[in-house]
Amino acid sequence: MVSLKEIFSKTDDKGSVTKETGRLSEGKKTLKELKVGETAQIVGFTKQSETVQKVEAMGLRPGKKIRIMQKLGRGILVKTSNSRIVITSDVAKNIEVK
Amino acid sequence: MSKGIKVALAGNPNVGKTTLLNHAAKTNLKVGNWAGVTVEKKEGYLNYKGYEIHFIDLPGVYTLEPISEDEWIAYNFIAEEKPDVIVNVIETTNAERDLLLTTELLEFGIPMIIALNMSDEASRMGIEVDAKHTSELLDVRVVRTNGRNGDGVQELLDKIIECADQPTSPKKIMYSEQVEASLAALQDIDPNGAPDKRALLARLTDGNGENLEKQKLEKFFKKDIKSVIKDERYAFAHGFYNEVFRRKKNGARDITDRIDKVVLHPIFGFIIFLFVIFMLFKISFDFSTPFMDWTEGLINNLFAPLVLSLLSNVGAGKWLPEFFSQAIVGGVGFVITFVPLIGMIYFLLAILEMSGYMPRIAFIMDRFMHKLGLHGKGMIPLLLGFGCNVPAVMATRTLENKRDKLLVMAMIPFMSCPARLVVFSFFAVLFFVHPAVIIFGLYILGIAIGLLTAFFLRKTAYRGSLSHFVMELPPYRIPRLRTVLQIVWVQVKSFLYRAGTVIFAASVVIWILLNTPPNIKNQSDSAAAYVGKAITPVLAPIGIKDWRISTSLIPAFLAREIVLSSMGTIYSVDIQNKNTDFHFLPELENQLKQLGLATRDGFESLVTPGLQSMQIEEGNQGLRNVIRSSFTAASALSFMIFLLLYTSCLATVAVMAREGGKKFAFFFLAYSFAIAWSVAFIVYHIGMLI
């Protein structure tokens, strides 16, 4: 039996990595650039905002594996775990993936 | 005296809180299957084992770090009203996401029950939860529930009572060593003893300036304190999920992705959307038409003669039968014949909502809405507007941006609701060879004016960039017939309630005005005619020259369908009462036979392609004939347009004032009158030339 304290130390969640520079690190791309059917892992956000907070709370967190299910206009349907989340490309361009 | 227990239902959007509440409290609340449908505080009461349980259904939120209106409502309720018990409803299949909110709820120290909802879906997908372990770790009670069939609700109620009898605070989450050390330090310097952890956290994060612990932590983690706490909560939720949830490899494949491949396809998806909307209208009109005819027959051939013969048997005087056939049958009875249509529209909208298709419409349509400067999510309130403008205006709350919200709100009243359809189908059938075309045209005109309004507003008052959107798509679910029927019943009940109250009152008032002063020879000398004649000059340019029509428009501001009941009352004075032989039993038998035929016709209409209802009918009513004599085709069309565009609905104006401000509602009302009058004027004069 683990205690609450142990749960915390066992986790592999890396926390949000925010780069206030607004620029991508080298060799990384944004969620916006992914094509339908591609999978990737979220690395961090290039900009903090209320929308980013909401997106995080909805489950798009650094470390999470995602798959692009569909793109329609500016809307992008992203699947992670069991949730399907639609975000617009102006939000997606601030999400860094690898 | 029974003991009261205040229970807050908290959870992410669309996890089935409201459905659980429906099972528990048996109240008829609105249930939907798109994220954010629970934007209002909903309540339910239940007497159970000597306790009075009071449920409050909080808006679905992802986090209690409040930003949006919904989040503030949920946060304030828990922080300030302090419920006795929190029921945290978790969508078991999506628990990893849901646990962030759980983590935040734990910190309030209020006795908590975790309801692992949609447990059937979870076990089908091979997701297992160690409920016992969860309960021990967090010191909360855990129950598995299934909103679809109500499994586990009994157990939930028992646990609520247990919770109230032996309240236990759940364990608080443990943060990292560094944060815990800072919290301990803050506690030590507090002279007033030990505040709770949430207060300490607030002190740690809010403290400005001289907050050494905050500075220390920010230096250590190299990010601001709020991010530190937030990230640690996420980390806890994540770790906790891994601890108690297991996912078997061989769970059933999720069917939603496969359906979405087609339904959200860039081309097929749009075709399917058009088909769905077409079917929505076809089924509501074609299927309900035979039933409307049947209801009309039931009232006019069975109910009315029955009451009249009873009245004459008891020797009622002259005015009572007159009052009955003019005010009640002519006014209220007439409006009631539209119940099948209204019920059907709500039935289909509820299915769209509960199946999970509704939010997908927002995704599919954003491409086009975006081009028009509108938000894809705005599509949902607009579609709801075809059901009733009032809930549609309330649904604009899901739009985060005030500008988007007001833009959509200014479009909604132009979406034609069943109350208007009631009037249209009556007039269109009377005056036009192809009534369906006219009605379709009116719907399109409403949409066009709505778009023009939005365009105009975007160029003037609501300039600015378009807001992005973030929205969850729920999995597809087969709606439960019982729940759908519950929703339909709520709506039909409120329609009948209006028929019995507002419409009844309006009919009575008009009838009285028509008969004041007493013993007048001519209707046009009555008080009603006087009022009508006074406003006729305003309406004459759009072809409404008859005092009987302008009079009926006044009470119609309460609700549009009243225009017909008022006309029914006014005109039925002119109609001779037919005194045919009436025999109750044969007529009852006939009505039952008619119901069978109507059912057959209804289902038959579903398999025939195209919209086919509203073909010309026989003028089976005296009312139809007299109304035909006071309108021309041009004035009838102008009248319908006026009623379509003018926000002649007190409820809509009231809800707009609440959601968008009094000024906004007032300006909109004036605007809608101006635009209704202008369009009607143009159409009337063009119509006169033809």
Side-chain angles (χ1 to χ4, degrees):
Chain A
M1 178 79 60
V2 293
S3 71
L4 285 185
K5 210 172 163 76
E6 283 170 276
I7 283 179
F8 188 76
S9 55
K10 271 166 70 177
T11 174
D12 52 353
D13 191 305
K14 296 293 179 293
S16 73
V17 190
T18 308
K19 299 178 192 63
E20 294 292 349
T21 55
R23 280 209 322 269
L24 282 176
S25 16
E26 265 175 62
K28 300 274 170 58
K29 53 182 173 179
T30 68
L31 199 155
K32 189 185 170 185
E33 295 162 56
L34 294 174
K35 294 189 181 66
V36 175
E38 274 191 288
T39 52
Q41 190 175 24
I42 297 182
V43 183
F45 303 97
T46 52
K47 209 172 121 197
Q48 269 297 343
S49 68
E50 286 184 352
T51 314
V52 165
Q53 271 182 48
K54 179 155 188 199
V55 166
E56 278 197 275
M58 288 171 95
L60 293 179
R61 291 270 303 148
K64 290 300 278 288
K65 291 210 167 62
I66 54 158
R67 175 191 279 273
I68 307 296
M69 306 301 286
Q70 187 59 274
K71 284 178 143 183
L72 293 175
R74 59 176 186 149
I76 303 169
L77 175 60
V78 183
K79 188 174 179 186
T80 180
S81 305
N82 251 325
S83 20
R84 295 169 187 82
I85 299 159
V86 176
I87 54 175
T88 43
S89 48
D90 47 355
V91 180
K93 71 170 193 273
N94 293 326
I95 303 177
E96 199 176 356
V97 296
K98 65 173 182 195
Chain B
M1 252 248 344
S2 57
K3 195 180 169 216
I5 309 173
K6 190 154 71 169
V7 181
L9 286 170
N12 283 197
N14 205 39
V15 295
K17 296 193 309 299
T18 315
T19 325
L20 273 186
L21 178 57
N22 263 342
H23 280 293
K26 306 261 186 286
T27 51
N28 295 317
L29 286 159
K30 188 151 161 85
V31 195
N33 194 16
W34 50 279
V37 77
T38 314
V39 283
E40 275 185 302
K41 186 173 106 181
K42 297 196 182 88
E43 300 178 65
Y45 289 88
L46 170 75
N47 283 307
Y48 185 75
K49 297 191 177 167
Y51 290 85
E52 195 192 19
I53 306 179
H54 176 194
F55 287 101
I56 297 99
D57 187 10
L58 298 178
V61 294
Y62 294 103
T63 167
L64 285 176
E65 292 286 310
I67 298 169
S68 71
E69 199 180 345
D70 298 2
E71 287 160 1
W72 274 111
I73 296 171
Y75 174 81
N76 284 340
F77 186 82
I78 295 174
E80 280 156 31
E81 305 222 0
K82 300 238 186 301
D84 300 312
V85 178
I86 294 176
V87 174
N88 176 209
V89 184
I90 284 181
E91 183 183 5
T92 314
T93 50
N94 239 327
E96 192 177 355
R97 178 203 66 198
D98 291 24
L99 284 172
L100 171 69
L101 182 70
T102 309
T103 305
E104 292 171 348
L105 286 169
L106 288 168
E107 286 184 353
F108 285 89
I110 295 169
M112 194 157 118
I113 300 171
I114 291 180
L116 296 165
N117 201 22
M118 302 181 187
S119 49
D120 56 332
E121 243 172 66
S123 46
R124 219 175 23 247
M125 292 174 70
I127 296 169
E128 286 173 2
V129 197
D130 191 340
K132 191 161 162 278
H133 194 27
T134 308
S135 166
E136 287 165 353
L137 272 175
L138 302 177
D139 240 339
V140 296
R141 291 168 172 85
V142 181
V143 48
R144 280 173 225 271
T145 54
N146 180 352
R148 282 174 59 77
N149 57 17
D151 279 358
V153 170
Q154 195 79 17
E155 198 190 337
L156 176 66
L157 294 174
D158 288 332
K159 292 239 154 102
I160 288 173
I161 289 176
E162 237 180 81
C163 246
D165 279 345
Q166 304 141 26
T168 43
S169 280
K171 290 204 181 103
K172 308 231 167 29
I173 76 159
M174 296 290 283
Y175 291 89
S176 62
E177 263 173 64
Q178 292 77 13
V179 174
E180 288 293 338
S182 289
L183 289 174
L186 280 174
Q187 181 140 17
D188 287 343
I189 57 163
D190 195 311
N192 303 322
D196 65 16
K197 193 161 189 167
R198 229 169 54 80
L200 284 175
L201 275 168
R203 192 171 302 167
L204 184 63
T205 51
D206 292 343
N208 28 14
E210 296 297 297
N211 192 334
L212 288 175
E213 294 300 330
K214 178 180 163 186
Q215 286 165 17
K216 204 162 84 189
L217 286 175
E218 289 189 341
K219 203 169 152 197
F220 181 84
F221 288 102
K222 297 190 187 66
K223 49 189 171 186
D224 76 288
I225 188 73
K226 284 198 173 147
S227 298
V228 173
I229 302 295
K230 193 184 71 185
D231 286 344
E232 293 199 354
R233 281 183 184 149
Y234 277 117
F236 177 85
H238 186 70
F240 188 78
Y241 176 81
N242 289 340
E243 190 61 35
V244 296
F245 285 75
R246 290 278 169 275
R247 196 166 182 162
K248 278 192 296 190
K249 276 276 179 286
N250 296 327
R253 273 279 316 269
D254 195 351
I255 193 160
T256 297
D257 287 339
R258 272 179 280 172
I259 299 176
D260 273 345
K261 272 229 155 63
V262 185
V263 168
L264 298 180
H265 186 275
I267 298 157
F268 300 130
F270 186 63
I271 296 170
I272 291 170
F273 167 74
L274 291 179
F275 179 74
V276 166
I277 297 302
F278 173 75
M279 286 309 282
L280 180 77
F281 286 102
K282 176 179 163 60
I283 298 174
S284 359
F285 300 154
D286 284 358
F287 187 77
S288 52
T289 306
F291 292 97
M292 283 159 66
D293 293 343
W294 175 76
T295 318
E296 192 180 328
L298 186 74
I299 293 169
N300 287 311
N301 300 332
L302 181 69
F303 175 70
L306 178 67
V307 176
L308 285 175
S309 71
L310 286 178
L311 285 175
S312 76
N313 281 347
V314 297
K318 185 173 167 289
W319 75 268
L320 195 60
E322 243 180 51
F323 170 76
F324 174 77
S325 48
Q326 289 163 6
I328 298 187
V329 177
V332 180
F334 190 70
V335 169
I336 285 178
T337 57
F338 290 91
V339 163
L341 176 64
I342 285 163
M344 202 65 213
I345 289 184
Y346 283 116
F347 181 81
L348 296 172
L349 280 177
I351 287 179
L352 277 193
E353 230 176 274
M354 299 193 55
S355 64
Y357 187 63
M358 204 69 118
R360 284 171 171 85
I361 292 177
F363 182 41
I364 295 168
M365 291 306 288
D366 185 65
R367 269 182 295 173
F368 308 99
M369 299 283 282
H370 182 60
K371 292 222 170 67
L372 298 165
L374 292 160
H375 203 284
K377 260 179 165 176
M379 199 62 199
I380 295 164
L382 289 176
L383 267 180
L384 290 176
F386 289 114
C388 176
N389 289 177
V390 176
V393 169
M394 288 197 294
T396 57
R397 286 187 197 171
T398 52
L399 293 163
E400 287 94 357
N401 183 301
K402 180 106 184 163
R403 171 192 167 277
D404 292 342
K405 188 177 154 170
L406 291 179
L407 264 180
V408 173
M409 221 188 281
M411 293 176 75
I412 289 169
F414 297 114
M415 305 300 124
S416 185
C417 59
R420 274 168 269 190
L421 182 64
V422 166
V423 184
F424 298 162
S425 49
F426 182 85
F427 278 87
V429 167
L430 267 183
F431 292 97
F432 298 95
V433 192
H434 300 292
V437 177
I438 295 290
I439 292 173
F440 183 71
L442 286 166
Y443 270 83
I444 298 292
L445 176 70
I447 296 167
I449 298 286
L451 287 172
L452 273 175
T453 305
F455 179 80
F456 174 71
L457 283 175
R458 240 169 5 87
K459 292 287 171 210
T460 55
Y462 301 128
R463 264 187 282 192
S465 66
L466 203 64
S467 94
H468 39 246
F469 80 80
V470 178
M471 179 180 69
E472 195 173 342
L473 300 186
Y476 289 107
R477 297 194 175 104
I478 298 171
R480 293 281 289 189
L481 186 63
R482 218 183 69 179
T483 324
V484 173
L485 290 178
Q486 267 178 1
I487 294 170
V488 172
W489 174 233
V490 172
Q491 302 291 351
V492 168
K493 209 165 65 182
S494 88
F495 180 78
L496 288 175
Y497 178 78
R498 270 189 304 166
T501 51
V502 193
I503 296 178
F504 174 72
S507 303
V508 171
V509 169
I510 293 215
W511 188 81
I512 292 171
L513 284 176
L514 273 170
N515 290 289
T516 333
N519 302 322
I520 41 162
K521 286 209 182 66
N522 210 331
Q523 288 294 334
S524 57
D525 296 330
S526 66
Y530 181 78
V531 178
K533 281 170 188 163
I535 58 163
T536 300
V538 183
L539 299 174
I542 61 169
I544 302 171
K545 291 166 182 153
D546 192 328
W547 66 268
R548 289 176 291 195
I549 303 158
S550 33
T551 307
S552 57
L553 273 173
I554 299 169
F557 183 62
L558 295 174
R560 285 178 173 95
E561 65 268 34
I562 293 182
V563 88
L564 277 189
S565 66
S566 311
M567 279 189 195
T569 309
I570 297 172
Y571 282 103
S572 64
V573 174
D574 298 344
I575 302 168
Q576 288 292 318
N577 282 325
K578 38 179 182 188
N579 275 323
T580 44
D581 283 341
F582 171 69
H583 301 288
F584 178 68
L585 280 178
E587 188 52 46
L588 183 69
E589 201 187 302
N590 178 36
Q591 285 303 324
L592 288 175
K593 218 185 290 167
Q594 294 296 327
L595 178 62
L597 289 177
T599 314
R600 195 201 60 195
D601 288 351
F603 280 103
E604 254 180 28
S605 75
L606 293 185
V607 290
T608 35
L611 261 173
Q612 50 155 18
S613 58
M614 292 159 202
Q615 282 150 8
I616 308 187
E617 288 168 41
E618 295 284 297
N620 51 351
Q621 274 291 303
L623 178 62
R624 294 189 196 275
N625 289 327
V626 273
I627 285 188
R628 190 177 276 155
S629 67
S630 38
F631 279 95
T632 62
S635 67
L637 188 59
S638 139
F639 178 73
M640 285 190 279
I641 288 172
F642 181 75
L643 216 62
L644 163 74
L645 300 178
Y646 172 47
T647 315
S648 176
C649 172
L650 186 61
T652 303
V653 176
V655 75
M656 281 176 92
R658 208 175 66 207
E659 297 295 321
K662 283 203 184 75
K663 220 168 86 180
F664 176 78
F666 177 76
F667 272 115
F668 185 82
L669 186 63
Y671 165 76
S672 80
F673 182 87
I675 198 114
W677 195 92
S678 318
V679 177
F681 181 83
I682 296 167
V683 169
Y684 176 63
H685 285 269
I686 293 175
M688 298 268 282
L689 297 175
I690 300 169

